[in-house]
Amino acid sequence: MRKILSRGAVVGVIAASAAVLLPQAASAAAFSSTCQATVCDLYVSGYKGGGLSIDADVHGSGTGRWELWSLDENWYHVQDFDAAAGPGSWLRSWSPKGRYHARVTGPAGPTTIGLRWLDNPTGS
């Protein structure tokens, strides 16, 4: 339980640090979903373009994976990552505008997936 709480705190610190340290890359919107299972889905709408930050966290050892689909365009992206590494964030610049479906899969639950819109897609 202590590990779960510390991971939650780390995710919060990552998001807060990004907004404070890089104000020009501050989020215009943020959405997240936490599930007790090994798969977690998130559906969002209203993305106006720029940059998307995908935040994911899974538990266990082995491989985690996040997937991101545009529900309006023929666009899909997937990224595998080390499940034991803790929470992470990945930036996708100039993703299509519109609605998205994000999913994270891990070797053990709980799992968390989040999307943040960035005003400046390069973070600089």
Side-chain angles (χ1 to χ4, degrees):
M1 180 63 142
R2 184 179 171 116
K3 185 176 179 181
I4 291 171
L5 293 175
S6 67
R7 278 191 158 185
V10 170
V11 171
V13 168
I14 289 171
S17 297
V20 171
L21 296 175
L22 300 171
Q24 65 272 40
S27 300
F31 308 90
S32 68
S33 182
T34 299
C35 305
Q36 294 306 309
T38 59
V39 176
C40 198
D41 290 292
L42 175 65
Y43 292 87
V44 298
S45 61
Y47 175 60
K48 305 253 189 266
L52 274 175
S53 178
I54 301 95
D55 306 316
D57 187 23
V58 300
H59 293 82
S61 60
T63 302
R65 169 180 277 194
W66 61 258
E67 300 171 78
L68 184 63
W69 296 270
S70 168
L71 298 174
D72 300 316
E73 302 284 335
N74 184 19
W75 189 90
Y76 168 79
H77 197 85
V78 62
Q79 176 78 44
D80 289 338
F81 60 94
D82 180 6
S89 294
W90 296 264
L91 178 64
R92 293 295 165 252
S93 299
W94 306 113
S95 307
K97 297 177 184 179
R99 301 172 300 138
Y100 280 87
H101 172 200
R103 172 180 290 160
V104 66
T105 307
T111 53
T112 301
I113 184 74
L115 292 177
R116 291 179 285 137
W117 307 169
L118 304 177
D119 294 332
N120 181 342
T122 62
S124 60

